[in-house]
Amino acid sequence: VMNGYRCAQYIRSWEQHVQRADRQRICALSSHDTEDEQQLAQQSGMDAFQSKPTPVNVLLEYLHNLFGKQNKTSLFNVGDIVEVRDKQTQMRLWFPGSIQRVNVDGTYDVMSEDGSTELRVRETRIRKPMEAPEVVPSEKSPVQDHASLQQ
C-alpha cells in the first residue's frame, strides 16, 4: 500500500530510470489544506495541489486548466436526463436514465431509473427525452360519436 506522496516519488523515479521525455502530470487532491501538505506534495514531485471538498464544477474547471480540455465535445454531459435504447431486443425500446460519466473514448456511463448502471454506452443509443405528444380533446366524446352512429 502506497500513499499519494510515495506514489508520486515512485513515478518520478521511474520516469528518470526510463529516461522518459515527457513528464506525467500529477495533482494532489487532499482535505488537508495546510502549507505543510502543499509543500510535501511539491517535494514529492507533484505538479499541483487542490484542496477538497470542492464543488464538482470548480474541480472540473481546475482539471481542464491543469490538463487541458478534450478536443472532442460530447453531445451529453454529466447529469443530463436522457433515454437509452435497449440493446437486448430488436424493438426500439427507450428507457429513461441520466448520464453519470463521460468517458474519454466517447462513450457514456448511464444510470437507469431503477438504479442500475450501464457502462460504455455509445452515443448512437442515447437521445434527449422525447416530449409526450399533446392530447387535444375532440369536440365529441367517443360515447357521443357512438350514439350518433346508431341514429
Side-chain angles (χ1 to χ4, degrees), residues 18 22-26 33 37 48 60 62 68 79 82-83 88-89 91 94 97 99 106 109 121 123 126 129 143 147:
V18 298
D22 57 331
R23 182 176 146 126
Q24 180 67 45
R25 301 190 93 180
I26 303 172
D33 189 15
E37 291 291 323
L60 287 174
Y62 174 77
V82 295
E83 292 179 338
Q88 302 297 327
T89 64
M91 298 186 304
W94 294 87
I99 302 295
D109 295 349
V121 179
E123 211 167 70
I126 304 173
V143 175

Side-chain angles (χ1 to χ4, degrees), residues 36-49:
D36 289 342
E37 291 291 323
Q38 292 178 24
Q39 193 173 40
L40 184 57
Q42 185 179 20
Q43 290 171 350
S44 299
M46 296 187 186
D47 298 298
F49 183 94

